[in-house]
Amino acid sequence: MSAKGKTRIGTRTGLKDNANEKMTSPPPTEKNDGKGRSWIAAGVLIAVVAAAVAISAREFVAMWEDPPIYPGPGITEQFMLSSIAPELAGSAADTEVYVLDGDSPGGTLLILGGTHPNEPASSLTAITIIENAVVNEGRLLVIPRANHSAFTCTDPQEGAPQTYVIETPGGDRLFRYGSRATNPIDQWPDPVIYVGSSGQALAGAEVRNLNRSYPGDSGGYLTEKLAAAILDLIRTENVDLAIDLHEASPEYPVINAIVAHENALPLAVEAALFLEFEGIQIGVEASPINLRGLSHREWGDATDTLALLIESTNPAQGRLRGAINSELILEGADPYYIRAAGQGLLYVPFSDAGHPIEERVGRHLDTIAMLTEIYSSQHGDQPIRISGLPTLSDLSVRGLGTYLDPSIRETDHSPP
Amino acid sequence: MKRRLGWMLIVLLFVSAGAAVGQEAEEAAAPETFAAPVVIVSVGQSAGAQQARVLAIRAGLDYVFEQRPEFSILEGSQTLILVMGASSKGLGAAGVDIDGEIAWAIDMVARARELEMKVIAMHIEGGARRGSTSDQIIHAIAPLADYIVVKGATPGVEWVESEEADANADGLFSTIAAENEIGITYIAKTLDGVEVLMDLFEIEPTE
Ligand SMILES: [Zn+2]
């Protein structure tokens, strides 16, 4: 960020100096001396600009690199989404799919993290699953960076950092804080009004929002191609239960909630009742039939999958927050939200404790565990049984970093 | 492992705690009993009625459930359970506004009365399902019932669950129950509603 700033200032000053020199160019008799000085000045200027461009270009291009994910003991296969959707090959929207095959057959679960890369608990939950889970019965597919392109930029004018760091026993680990929408460098320009593949008319910028692009179009915008590929995956893998992980700002009414397609509503309701019994308050909202383009609507309409979306609480994406930094992203504590809570403006409790990433990832993990447990009890012939996942209380005691320790994954595959 | 224990605990609670909840209910109001079959509907189109359906299944109640049915669904049943809770998205999807929804529910109760059915009003989604629209429903519908079940604090008893789970923090339900001399049971967790239903409908635990 600072390097980019320097680039601009350097360039502007340089141009101005250059112009001044032209206007006040010395008389011909002093031509030689003057020309020598300006050659030196120009040389220095070019060198400075070149250095600044090189530094900022490196930083800019570095954003296209993915921080590593360390496959855990349960991973049996890994492929790129383009292997089933060739139109994504070579594009920034292509993304990894991790497969965890169980010892015995059963149902298939798809977990989608990183639909909106400015909602960090979403992809962190998916990564925690990839690095820790073992499937005993059934099959699990995990996409940790669903909108991969959106991880390569941040939202304009939000002042969000490009990365944040989680402390692990094996050292600090870097993660990317991305944008809500596909990077404009990969999909541009936006239309004035986006009439989605679902037929819903939306503001133009939503054309780059993966969760408005379903059911998608393999010949459409890049984000629509991605949406179509994810639906293809659900179809070709016969996904029985599909969960899209999100976060919401504390002033947004649908928060700490499961949003369920009507086919999945009984499952969501029952899971929420038992989660409450375990001390986790989670609401259930039926997916509105007239709100098109969203995962919980279009996945369920287009396929037999039980489509669900889960929301946790992320003040960093809200409107009432202070500065976005690693602390706000990971601790979820913000004085302005405490004040807003005091005035009854929020849909979740908000205290000094904030909503730390452990709580948010833990809620997602416990909700996924409960949904699969209830699903398995309702579909005895198609069970999905997963072990090795930390719970909300594990995370609260040991910290998320314990379960994302790269040194463990690099050396052996035993769970922490 | 921990979760298995949790499930076993739940089963134990179902078997052993039924009696305790029953006593509480009797202290709160004259013993009131209801008869199956039951019709479960939503007033406000939130997911609360779906939750009530799960409670009915687990209580072993003979029921039919429809989010927003025709009145003909009432024929042949003994008790109508109205589950109150407004969802703007749910109302939008059903294509009705709040006034239309309340008028529909009042007509539904009138039809139930013609059929000599009893009526239970439930609010089981906690404080998160309180707000101006939900409150309009509660004010209009709860006083028409023979019994109220609410997830919220019993007056004078400290609430130990989370704040957002308490739908009776301002005493709205206790006030309506007292003013209209309606029996009421307060539950702390939605699943406690299973025992309440078993008690109200005199269902013996099968295990
Ligand atoms: Zn989101």
Side-chain angles (χ1 to χ4, degrees):
Chain A
M1 211 159 83
S2 59
K4 275 184 198 164
K6 272 177 203 157
T7 315
R8 276 201 215 107
I9 292 163
T11 314
R12 277 195 204 129
T13 328
L15 285 172
K16 205 174 163 190
D17 286 348
N18 225 359
N20 283 348
E21 257 171 66
K22 266 183 193 164
M23 284 167 71
T24 59
S25 55
T29 46
E30 288 172 30
K31 197 174 158 189
N32 284 347
D33 278 350
K35 202 169 187 181
R37 265 208 307 275
S38 56
W39 273 114
I40 292 167
V44 169
L45 181 67
I46 289 167
V48 167
V49 170
V53 166
I55 290 167
S56 54
R58 244 178 73 170
E59 202 172 306
F60 188 67
V61 174
M63 285 197 68
W64 303 342
E65 283 164 24
D66 300 325
I69 290 174
Y70 304 91
I75 300 296
T76 50
E77 192 191 341
Q78 187 187 332
F79 61 87
M80 296 301 285
L81 194 54
S82 57
S83 68
I84 62 156
E87 63 275 12
L88 291 182
S91 80
D94 198 6
T95 193
E96 320 102 300
V97 183
Y98 292 82
V99 183
L100 296 87
D101 265 312
D103 302 327
S104 51
T108 300
L109 166 65
L110 170 66
I111 300 286
L112 210 66
T115 290
H116 293 147
N118 61 335
E119 300 167 6
S122 165
S123 68
L124 285 174
T125 300
I127 294 170
T128 305
I129 294 171
I130 291 166
E131 300 192 2
N132 294 274
V134 171
V135 175
N136 309 103
E137 290 177 83
R139 181 170 163 89
L140 172 55
L141 307 169
V142 187
I143 303 182
R145 293 183 269 243
N147 190 346
H148 176 269
S149 162
F151 277 91
T152 64
C153 63
T154 52
D155 287 323
Q157 300 180 334
E158 293 292 328
Q162 296 166 356
T163 57
Y164 57 95
V165 166
I166 293 180
E167 286 173 32
T168 82
D172 285 354
R173 184 165 168 187
L174 189 101
F175 294 89
R176 212 166 278 299
Y177 191 86
S179 160
R180 183 174 170 80
T182 304
N183 193 335
I185 215 168
D186 300 319
Q187 182 182 315
W188 190 86
D190 295 345
V192 177
I193 291 172
Y194 169 49
V195 179
S197 53
S198 63
Q200 182 102 30
L202 297 158
E206 298 286 9
V207 74
R208 289 180 288 113
N209 182 348
L210 175 57
N211 204 27
R212 296 295 180 279
S213 298
Y214 296 108
D217 179 352
S218 58
Y221 291 102
L222 184 64
T223 313
E224 291 180 332
K225 288 180 182 167
L226 170 62
I230 290 168
L231 255 176
D232 268 353
L233 181 75
I234 291 173
R235 279 192 206 97
T236 54
E237 296 284 340
N238 293 313
V239 171
D240 300 294
L241 178 58
I243 302 174
D244 190 10
L245 300 172
H246 286 255
E247 296 204 89
S249 55
E251 67 271 28
Y252 182 67
V254 180
I255 188 163
N256 283 357
I258 308 173
V259 186
H261 188 271
E262 55 271 20
N263 297 344
L265 202 52
L267 170 65
V269 162
E270 196 156 351
L273 291 178
F274 282 92
L275 282 167
E276 185 192 36
F277 230 89
E278 294 196 348
I280 296 176
Q281 289 289 332
I282 193 159
V284 176
E285 296 287 339
S287 167
I289 41 174
N290 44 3
L291 195 59
R292 310 299 310 196
L294 288 92
S295 55
H296 48 76
R297 168 55 40 205
E298 306 299 344
W299 292 356
D301 279 7
T303 74
D304 291 333
T305 202
L306 299 176
L308 299 157
L309 181 150
I310 315 175
E311 299 270 15
S312 59
T313 303
N314 173 26
Q317 71 186 102
R319 294 293 91 198
L320 310 179
R321 60 174 167 75
I324 309 184
N325 47 36
S326 278
E327 209 184 334
L328 178 61
I329 292 169
L330 296 176
E331 305 301 326
D334 184 289
Y336 304 104
Y337 272 110
I338 295 172
R339 212 191 290 176
Q343 294 173 9
L345 297 173
L346 304 184
Y347 290 88
V348 284
F350 212 104
S351 69
D352 291 345
H355 290 281
I357 198 74
E358 277 77 13
E359 172 201 300
R360 292 142 58 192
V361 171
R363 286 180 62 99
H364 276 342
L365 289 171
D366 280 7
T367 305
I368 291 167
M370 186 61 82
L371 285 166
T372 52
E373 203 162 323
I374 304 273
Y375 174 85
S376 302
S377 73
Q378 291 175 350
H379 303 81
D381 53 332
Q382 293 276 65
I384 301 168
R385 294 200 201 282
I386 304 167
S387 56
L389 284 180
T391 63
L392 171 59
S393 60
D394 291 335
L395 292 179
S396 309
V397 173
R398 298 196 188 97
L400 179 58
T402 306
Y403 299 91
L404 294 174
D405 184 351
S407 63
I408 291 175
R409 298 304 159 218
E410 278 162 353
T411 53
D412 72 280
H413 272 172
S414 62
Chain B
M1 188 66 194
K2 228 179 264 176
R3 182 158 284 123
R4 291 259 155 72
L5 282 173
W7 284 84
M8 284 171 67
L9 198 71
I10 291 167
V11 172
L12 275 175
L13 279 170
F14 277 30
V15 177
S16 63
V21 172
Q23 276 163 13
E24 268 172 48
E26 274 166 316
E27 280 160 28
E32 184 109 29
T33 54
F34 294 82
V38 171
V39 177
I40 302 172
V41 304
S42 169
V43 187
Q45 307 308 311
S46 76
Q50 290 270 359
Q51 297 188 346
R53 175 180 159 273
V54 175
L55 302 183
I57 294 170
R58 295 197 168 257
L61 195 57
D62 180 8
Y63 78 96
V64 285
F65 161 77
E66 208 172 306
Q67 192 79 4
R68 201 176 194 280
E70 301 290 328
F71 293 165
S72 57
I73 198 173
L74 296 173
E75 278 147 37
S77 289
Q78 302 278 325
T79 305
L80 169 63
I81 297 182
L82 300 158
V83 188
M84 304 176 290
S87 156
S88 53
K89 285 180 177 175
L91 286 167
V96 286
D97 63 7
I98 183 62
D99 296 329
E101 182 76 351
I102 289 172
W104 170 83
I106 289 172
D107 288 348
M108 182 98 171
V109 172
R111 179 69 189 132
R113 294 302 185 195
E114 283 169 21
L115 296 167
E116 298 181 340
M117 293 171 69
K118 283 191 173 180
V119 176
I120 298 174
M122 291 181 106
H123 188 281
I124 50 176
E125 292 178 278
R129 196 65 74 188
R130 282 285 309 274
S132 60
T133 321
S134 286
D135 286 7
Q136 266 179 271
I137 294 172
I138 296 162
H139 281 290
I141 301 304
L144 305 179
D146 301 305
Y147 205 83
I148 297 172
V149 178
V150 62
K151 182 163 84 175
T154 310
V157 178
E158 196 198 344
W159 181 253
V160 293
E161 306 297 328
S162 79
E163 222 177 284
E164 68 203 290
D166 183 2
N168 196 39
D170 59 355
L172 174 63
F173 288 93
S174 6
T175 306
I176 290 174
E179 281 176 357
N180 298 280
E181 295 178 357
I182 302 171
I184 182 166
T185 298
Y186 304 92
I187 56 177
K189 299 190 186 243
T190 307
L191 266 187
D192 294 336
V194 175
E195 293 123 70
V196 175
L197 288 178
M198 289 172 80
D199 189 59
L200 292 175
F201 288 87
E202 299 179 295
I203 300 168
E204 296 298 323
T206 48
E207 290 174 65

